[in-house]
Amino acid sequence: DIQMTQSPSTLSASVGDRVTITCRASQGVNSWLAWYQQKPGKAPKVLICKASTLESGVPSRFSGSGSGTEFTLTISSLQPDDFATYYCQQYDSSPYTFGQGTKLEVK
Amino acid sequence: DVQLVESGGGLTEPGGSLRLSCAASGLTFSNAWMNWVRQAPGKGLEWVGRIKSRIDGGTTDYAAPVKGRFTISRDDSRKTVWLQMDSLKTEDTGVYYCASHYTTWQWGQGTLVTVSS
């Protein structure tokens, strides 16, 4: 199985900050990588598919990059609505696997 | 807009069974690979399994913890996918999400499954 490792597990930041979350795969997943945002009690929201394709309706301050085994999610200027937990997921090969999550909290 | 609506969750005892449904609208269901993902209370996301589209073979794959106990099926004419869960364990407790993948990912709102005596 492909293991997905996110870092950091927790990130403290302020409104306006630029933040980056990293996701590493134990083996190559090409660009079959998605990023999700989840708020308490809610379903995950898809932000990015195929490593860098921004989903419709997602603000342009979110961006994704990478291929193979290393990926990043960047928020260029944090907004109050962005404090949440973020997950990466590889869907290159079964079983699809998620990172353990990064909780983005207010500094 | 794409909508995925899960139903069938509830409380059952260890060793029991439940059948979850996911009704889809707003997408070309027959082309979509349909997945189930779960989340235990306070924990992260865990992929449960997937059924491919008929044109891609219609085969299923499962995560190791559920293999042999859970079964995914689909009916393209009804735009519905099911998750049959047998021999349930307490560790199967959580919110179960239906997620479709064709050119992008779409998720439902989830249904809560509680396995407890």
Side-chain angles (χ1 to χ4, degrees):
Chain A
D1 297 1
I2 299 175
Q3 308 301 317
M4 305 301 291
T5 304
Q6 281 182 240
S7 60
S9 295
T10 307
L11 180 56
S12 299
S14 302
V15 172
D17 285 354
R18 179 184 179 89
V19 299
T20 297
I21 299 169
T22 298
C23 182
R24 289 187 173 88
S26 60
Q27 61 191 77
V29 299
N30 296 295
S31 294
W32 302 114
L33 192 286
W35 288 99
Y36 299 92
Q37 176 193 69
Q38 189 179 33
K39 296 183 178 179
K42 299 294 187 182
K45 174 186 176 183
V46 183
L47 300 175
I48 288 167
C49 287
K50 221 173 173 188
S52 60
T53 302
L54 199 67
E55 287 298 289
S56 176
V58 175
S60 59
R61 63 180 179 273
F62 291 91
S63 63
S65 65
S67 66
T69 61
E70 187 148 339
F71 302 86
T72 59
L73 172 70
T74 299
I75 309 173
S76 60
S77 178
L78 265 178
Q79 299 302 301
D81 191 49
D82 300 339
F83 293 98
T85 299
Y86 293 83
Y87 295 92
C88 62
Q89 178 204 15
Q90 69 82 16
Y91 53 103
D92 178 76
S93 61
S94 175
Y96 298 163
T97 41
F98 291 87
Q100 80 278 15
T102 295
K103 185 176 182 180
L104 180 53
E105 60 180 27
V106 178
K107 190 172 186 179
Chain B
D1 280 3
V2 174
Q3 262 205 315
L4 300 173
V5 179
E6 302 94 336
S7 60
L11 173 63
T12 189
E13 294 185 342
S17 296
L18 277 176
R19 189 192 197 204
L20 306 184
S21 300
C22 171
S25 61
L27 77 161
T28 308
F29 184 82
S30 59
N31 290 343
W33 292 18
M34 299 302 296
N35 299 257
W36 288 93
V37 178
R38 67 184 181 183
Q39 188 168 35
K43 302 297 184 183
L45 300 169
E46 179 185 25
W47 182 81
V48 170
R50 172 201 68 201
I51 185 164
K52 294 183 178 180
S53 61
R54 176 186 287 255
I55 198 169
D56 289 319
T59 55
T60 52
D61 289 289
Y62 301 94
V66 308
K67 199 166 186 177
R69 300 188 298 122
F70 289 13
T71 304
I72 299 172
S73 59
R74 65 188 294 161
D75 183 333
D76 289 351
S77 66
R78 296 169 64 180
K79 296 189 176 183
T80 300
V81 62
W82 294 274
L83 177 65
Q84 177 67 42
M85 305 187 293
D86 298 319
S87 303
L88 281 162
K89 306 176 181 180
T90 55
E91 53 263 41
D92 294 319
T93 292
V95 177
Y96 283 71
Y97 298 99
C98 168
S100 69
H101 179 239
Y102 180 40
T103 56
T104 185
W105 283 90
Q106 303 283 349
W107 289 54
Q109 291 306 300
T111 186
L112 177 62
V113 171
T114 304
V115 184
S116 174
S117 54

